[in-house]
Amino acid sequence: MDKPTILTWLEEVKDPEIPVLSLVDLGVIRDVVLQEDGGVLVKMTPTFSGCPAMDYMQRDVERVLHAHGVENVQIEMSFEEPWNTNMVSEKGRLALKNFGLAPPPMYNQVLDLDILEYATCPYCNSQNTEMRTPFGATLCRSMHYCHNCRQMFEQFKPV
């Protein structure tokens, strides 16, 4: 058992709201530490402090590691280094797009709220889109409309 193997196992743990996106690719799982007693410590940073899925995520991490024979699993939830959407991997961004959810745009250091307005259509890749409402099905999504393919779509909001 080594860290890369454990991270591969943890790719089985999906975001409860986006079942095609693993917590590893979402950037929620920050590190895996092998303990001297054979246990595994998983360090996680939830997407925000009030995330209602934190307990589900923790239980799913424990369930997957137990299924792979790891008996001693510890989860450390921390907000010391806040999560942001730049932590979503390229694989995660592609999974979001293939799911019909526009990935959050990358930004440098400070998030300019103007980028909330713009999204690339996940169906036709057009940037001829407009935000219809900053409120989607969940707190982390906004609703947009594509003028090219005339589809409504959601965007994973940049944070």
Side-chain angles (χ1 to χ4, degrees):
M1 176 171 61
D2 58 13
K3 185 175 172 176
T5 300
I6 293 169
L7 286 170
T8 300
W9 293 342
L10 291 175
E11 287 183 6
E12 297 173 29
V13 182
K14 304 299 182 190
D15 180 280
E17 296 173 344
I18 307 169
V20 297
L21 184 61
S22 77
L23 296 187
V24 173
D25 288 319
L26 183 58
V28 165
I29 294 179
R30 304 298 289 275
D31 198 9
V32 168
V33 179
L34 301 176
Q35 305 289 311
E36 290 182 16
D37 65 359
V40 173
L41 169 65
V42 179
K43 296 183 177 184
M44 299 172 63
T45 300
T47 54
F48 65 98
S49 63
C51 178
M54 287 173 30
D55 287 342
Y56 292 105
M57 291 179 195
Q58 186 171 337
R59 277 187 294 206
D60 282 353
V61 166
E62 291 170 344
R63 178 188 51 78
V64 165
L65 292 180
H66 288 158
H68 286 282
V70 180
E71 292 182 22
N72 183 9
V73 177
Q74 292 179 298
I75 309 290
E76 181 181 291
M77 293 278 193
S78 173
F79 292 97
E80 280 185 33
E81 185 182 350
W83 178 88
N84 67 65
T85 51
N86 281 346
M87 295 175 178
V88 178
S89 71
E90 283 306 312
K91 183 179 169 189
R93 292 175 185 281
L94 183 60
L96 289 170
K97 184 176 184 281
N98 291 338
F99 188 59
L101 191 58
M106 296 290 287
Y107 61 91
N108 290 322
Q109 299 180 343
V110 178
L111 175 64
D112 182 351
L113 292 180
D114 286 345
I115 68 172
L116 291 172
E117 298 280 333
Y118 304 101
T120 300
C121 177
Y123 302 111
C124 72
N125 295 319
S126 171
Q127 294 184 340
N128 185 17
T129 64
E130 72 175 270
M131 183 170 68
R132 290 287 173 94
T133 174
F135 308 104
T138 64
L139 290 174
C140 62
R141 299 182 194 183
S142 56
M143 294 296 302
H144 296 259
Y145 179 77
C146 178
H147 294 285
N148 281 19
C149 70
R150 301 176 191 258
Q151 293 286 318
M152 290 290 295
F153 64 93
E154 289 183 299
Q155 180 189 42
F156 195 110
K157 289 181 199 172
V159 176

